[in-house]
Amino acid sequence: MSGLLGSRTCPGPGETSDLKFPLGAKFREPLTETRFQQLFGDAEQEPEPLAEPRWSRLRGLWRRRAGACSGQGAWRLLLARLPPLRWLPRYRWRAWLLGDAVAGVTVGIVHVPQGMAFALLTSVPPVFGLYTSFFPVLIYTLLGTGRHLSTGTFAVLSLMTGSAVERLVPEPLEGNLSGIEREQLDAQRVGAAAAVAFGSGALMLGMFALQLGILATFLSEPVVKALTSGAALHVLVSQLPSLLGLPLPRQIGCFALFKTLAAVLTALPRSSPAELTISALSLALLVPVKELNVRFRDKLPTPIPGEIVMVLLASVLCFTSSLDTRYNVQIVGLLPGGFPQPLLPSLAELPRILADSLPMALVTFAVSTSLASIYADKYSYTIDSNQELLAHGVSNLVSSLFSCFPNSATLATTSLLVDAGGNTQLAGLFSCLVVLSVLLWLGPFFYYLPKAVLACINISSMRQMFFQMQELPQLWRISRVDFAVWMVTWVAVVTLSVDLGLAVGVVFSMMTVVCRTQRVRCLALGLAEGTELYRPLRESHKLLQVPGLRILSYPTPLYFGTRGQFRRILEWHLRLGEGGQLTPKTDSPPDAVAEPVRVVVLDCSGVTFADAAGAREVVQLASRCRDAGIHFLLAQCNASVLGTLTQAGLLDRVTPEQLFVSVQDAAAYALERLELTGPKTCTVWV
């Protein structure tokens, strides 16, 4: 290695050069991939018999399995799968306990009315919203890695679940059900919602077993925000019949939002004045309180619990005025005390609900992981995406045994938890205590609660989702493509349905990635005078290009979708065959274009991967260059791309001496060995 680096000779007196060297430059010999591996590769990687690596891998796998079965391995597994074993011993009791207690009680107070409200959105009785606000929160406290995450009922999932429940268990057309028939219908719908939660949890556990936490990246931020904003509009429209006291059947499927609006406008003369008044008064209280909590979040010691205040006032008003009997106002009724008996959902329904469970599992994981990541970055800790899959999978699966519907992290209560001073997952236990007290003792106090108030709580909780549209102007300035993804997803969610809109958004988002790989330009590079840097020629007229030498950079993956474009662009640059149909703008000066190409250097630093079709295209290009008398050099191929090219037969067309570690090395080799105009020494600046 001593001969690799050191001073080399610049052009001597009287020698001319078209390239200028930087002051005090040092030089080294150009490095091919083979020479680099000889100098800097792992000396222990010697050729071995074919059977040896296989036995080595089997021995290594056996040792890892045996280590996992040891006492130390079992403890590491417990630490990884039960996060409280890691954070509880380091818990700062004096500094954090009060904040967790206040935040947990505050969130628990909001969980009570919000859980009952979202239960109506799910088409199940209100008490099952309380169950969903208890069991999932308790399970996530034990398994989750998001310290500031609040789980429970979520409007988007409740809306999606409600659509599935209405389709699986539709209400009879004749209506006017008796009390027993209504109970039977509710029981069937509760079973359907629990089956959807069971399927969603099972899918997430399967994703955890396959370590598919990376799937969250396919739901980009514009897709998730457009999905939640569009779903918020669905929630608003679906609650209009309850706000107006109209007993209308729920619309499902495509264009459900417009069908609901048409039905509400048609039945508007039959609306109930009493429920309309209750709704107007409730919104007049809830909306300003929400705004006050946002505007003065830094000054308020804890957010104002507007929802619970509204619930108590409406219950007292309905009881004292007998609104349920005098004006036929729909009320919550009796909330059963205690917990339901564990019951396995009907497995016969699973094949029918898998199509509904899959988008719910993806939404649950994407929303929860993105929320957890936001606060993890803000408070400087890390989350484990695969552990989050386990936590939410177990949460949905186990809670479905207690008749809960699908659940996830929620935007409103997570923000509330942070604003109220929450520090760790321990706040979830205090939240569970509040919900538990309602289930065991305080349930009868909600008997006279008007359902119109719950509909108002649903609408007011959508505030953050509606305000996400304010980010659109900034998104337009940052990325027009992301803006298009946002708008296409939002329009699809609003016009079709939430699950179909999600599918459209994901597909369109992936298509934009594919299309952007199709629109890249192959850049011709030139040497910046006085430096060792090669930059695109279109960036400056002061870049130097050696006649007969073409340095081309192709900055995109090389796969079946880009192979045709790659072939056409390289044919045009190198004048191979008929390239008249392709007329890209040249980046080269006229005199450089007129000179026949003798050497081409293909910079592969931007080629992140190559498939079989792309690799064969490079091999064919090398053959055509050899037939045309053009010396073909490759530079900066990563190990994966180089391996694919080698398997495709590249070394049958070129020698290892034509593969270089950098563009500078390849250009120096070309200038010396091929006697092009330039430095007279085979050196590279370092």
Side-chain angles (χ1 to χ4, degrees):
M1 192 182 302
S2 60
L4 176 66
L5 298 176
S7 299
R8 297 289 182 186
T9 59
C10 296
E15 294 183 357
T16 61
S17 174
D18 291 340
L19 304 179
K20 296 184 180 180
F21 294 92
L23 185 63
K26 293 184 179 180
F27 305 95
R28 60 169 171 78
E29 297 176 356
L31 283 178
T32 63
E33 290 285 351
T34 303
R35 181 60 176 162
F36 183 86
Q37 290 299 325
Q38 292 174 352
L39 294 172
F40 303 106
D42 190 354
E44 298 179 0
Q45 292 181 353
E46 299 294 339
E48 299 179 356
L50 292 178
E52 182 61 25
R54 185 181 305 169
W55 286 111
S56 298
R57 288 194 296 270
L58 289 176
R59 284 199 302 270
L61 179 62
W62 174 258
R63 288 171 183 168
R64 287 194 297 271
R65 297 280 183 173
C69 295
S70 64
Q72 187 177 4
W75 177 245
R76 285 198 302 268
L77 182 62
L78 277 177
L79 288 177
R81 299 296 169 245
L82 288 176
L85 295 178
R86 298 197 304 269
W87 59 261
L88 199 55
R90 299 193 297 269
Y91 189 83
R92 303 176 187 174
W93 294 96
R94 293 185 179 181
W96 290 349
L97 183 59
L98 181 60
D100 282 341
V102 172
V105 171
T106 303
V107 171
I109 290 173
V110 174
H111 268 316
V112 173
Q114 187 171 280
M116 292 190 291
F118 288 166
L120 295 183
L121 197 60
T122 315
S123 299
V124 297
V127 69
F128 293 95
L130 296 179
Y131 299 151
T132 310
S133 299
F134 177 80
F135 291 104
V137 177
L138 183 62
I139 294 171
Y140 185 82
T141 301
L142 300 176
L143 297 176
T145 59
R147 285 169 41 189
H148 299 85
L149 208 62
S150 174
T151 59
T153 56
F154 182 39
V156 176
L157 286 181
S158 297
L159 181 70
M160 297 172 70
T161 306
S163 299
V165 168
E166 292 281 350
R167 191 187 71 253
L168 295 171
V169 188
E171 189 162 349
L173 296 177
E174 60 272 11
N176 297 324
L177 301 178
S178 65
I180 297 178
E181 291 174 338
R182 173 59 63 182
E183 289 181 2
Q184 292 175 348
L185 179 66
D186 287 342
Q188 293 176 4
R189 289 184 167 181
V190 168
V196 173
F198 185 91
S200 178
L203 286 173
M204 282 188 280
L205 288 180
M207 293 164 63
F208 164 74
L210 298 175
Q211 300 291 288
L212 295 180
I214 191 66
L215 285 179
T217 58
F218 291 101
L219 289 178
S220 63
E221 182 178 338
V223 171
V224 173
K225 289 189 174 182
L227 174 75
T228 52
S229 293
L233 191 58
H234 275 280
V235 172
L236 172 62
V237 173
S238 68
Q239 296 304 293
L240 289 179
S242 297
L243 291 179
L244 302 174
L246 297 174
L248 299 177
R250 184 167 179 170
Q251 303 291 336
I252 59 174
C254 295
F255 311 107
L257 185 144
F258 305 103
K259 294 177 184 177
T260 303
L261 279 177
V264 169
L265 292 176
T266 303
L268 194 58
R270 295 186 282 110
S271 59
S272 169
E275 296 197 76
L276 181 59
T277 303
I278 293 174
S279 301
L281 293 175
S282 300
L283 289 175
L285 174 66
L286 290 172
V287 173
V289 168
K290 290 276 188 182
E291 193 65 27
L292 286 174
N293 285 334
V294 173
R295 288 180 179 270
F296 301 101
R297 65 172 60 185
D298 297 331
K299 298 180 180 180
L300 292 173
T302 182
I304 303 172
E307 290 88 349
I308 199 66
V309 172
M310 188 66 248
V311 165
L312 294 176
L313 290 177
S315 299
V316 171
L317 178 63
C318 185
F319 172 71
T320 56
S321 304
S322 301
L323 297 179
D324 57 324
T325 56
R326 294 173 59 185
Y327 300 102
N328 197 27
V329 172
Q330 297 296 313
I331 60 175
V332 169
L334 180 64
L335 293 179
F339 297 103
Q341 292 184 352
L343 180 65
L344 184 68
S346 176
L347 298 181
E349 297 289 337
L350 285 181
R352 298 175 60 193
I353 57 93
L354 280 180
D356 300 296
S357 297
L358 180 59
M360 292 184 198
L362 293 177
V363 170
T364 297
F365 180 54
V367 172
S368 302
T369 305
S370 60
L371 268 178
S373 300
I374 289 173
Y375 288 102
D377 294 340
K378 182 177 180 180
Y379 292 98
S380 303
Y381 63 91
T382 59
I383 63 166
D384 183 348
S385 59
N386 285 306
Q387 179 66 20
E388 289 295 297
L389 270 177
L390 175 65
H392 291 289
V394 173
S395 176
N396 279 272
L397 188 69
V398 173
S399 63
S400 70
L401 305 180
F402 295 92
S403 303
C404 297
F405 48 85
N407 56 87
S408 74
T410 63
L411 303 175
T413 55
T414 297
S415 177
L416 181 63
L417 179 72
V418 175
D419 292 341
N423 298 290
T424 66
Q425 296 94 319
L426 194 62
L429 293 181
F430 292 99
S431 174
C432 289
L433 290 176
V434 176
V435 179
L436 180 63
S437 64
V438 174
L439 288 171
L440 296 181
W441 303 295
L442 303 179
F445 290 97
F446 299 96
Y447 183 92
Y448 289 98
L449 175 62
K451 291 185 177 180
V453 175
L454 297 181
C456 294
I457 292 174
N458 277 334
I459 293 174
S460 64
S461 64
M462 299 294 104
R463 178 188 179 279
Q464 285 180 295
M465 299 185 191
F466 283 126
F467 281 8
Q468 289 179 140
M469 301 188 73
Q470 294 179 339
E471 301 175 6
L472 286 178
Q474 182 184 13
L475 190 62
W476 171 265
R477 292 191 297 268
I478 295 174
S479 173
R480 306 288 175 86
V481 175
D482 284 345
F483 179 88
V485 171
W486 202 105
M487 291 303 301
V488 168
T489 305
W490 188 86
V491 170
V493 169
V494 170
T495 57
L496 300 177
S497 62
V498 176
D499 48 356
L500 288 179
L502 173 64
V504 170
V506 171
V507 171
F508 184 78
S509 177
M510 299 303 296
M511 287 301 298
T512 60
V513 176
V514 174
C515 290
R516 276 185 277 189
T517 64
Q518 303 284 323
R519 297 175 63 86
V520 299
R521 296 182 60 185
C522 184
L523 303 175
L525 305 183
L527 181 63
E529 185 176 349
T531 74
E532 76 283 7
L533 302 177
Y534 284 85
R535 303 293 296 174
L537 290 173
R538 60 182 173 83
E539 291 186 359
S540 173
H541 296 294
K542 296 182 179 180
L543 297 176
L544 304 175
Q545 185 180 17
V546 178
L549 173 63
R550 298 288 288 186
I551 304 177
L552 304 175
S553 177
Y554 190 72
T556 191
L558 189 55
Y559 64 104
F560 65 92
T562 58
R563 59 175 298 187
Q565 179 200 46
F566 174 80
R567 182 195 314 119
R568 292 191 300 271
I569 291 178
L570 268 294
E571 283 178 349
W572 185 87
H573 275 286
L574 303 180
R575 302 172 200 160
L576 298 173
E578 293 294 328
Q581 285 132 13
L582 184 72
T583 58
K585 295 181 180 179
T586 179
D587 298 323
S588 309
D591 55 343
V593 174
E595 179 75 19
V597 178
R598 298 172 53 195
V599 183
V600 59
V601 177
L602 183 59
D603 176 17
C604 297
S605 58
V607 182
T608 54
F609 72 90
D611 66 358
R616 283 195 290 267
E617 199 64 48
V618 175
V619 173
Q620 292 175 9
L621 175 66
S623 297
R624 297 180 65 184
C625 287
R626 184 179 61 184
D627 296 340
I630 300 174
H631 207 66
F632 182 75
L633 307 179
L634 281 178
Q636 288 185 254
C637 284
N638 64 51
S640 173
V641 173
L642 191 57
T644 304
L645 296 177
T646 302
Q647 293 296 325
L650 179 66
L651 294 182
D652 295 335
R653 307 296 193 277
V654 300
T655 64
E657 286 71 26
Q658 293 172 250
L659 309 177
F660 291 88
V661 297
S662 71
V663 172
Q664 289 86 350
D665 291 276
Y669 172 87
L671 292 174
E672 169 65 19
R673 301 296 172 86
L674 303 176
E675 299 180 355
L676 296 173
T677 304
K680 299 301 187 291
T681 54
C682 178
T683 56
V684 183
W685 303 334
V686 295

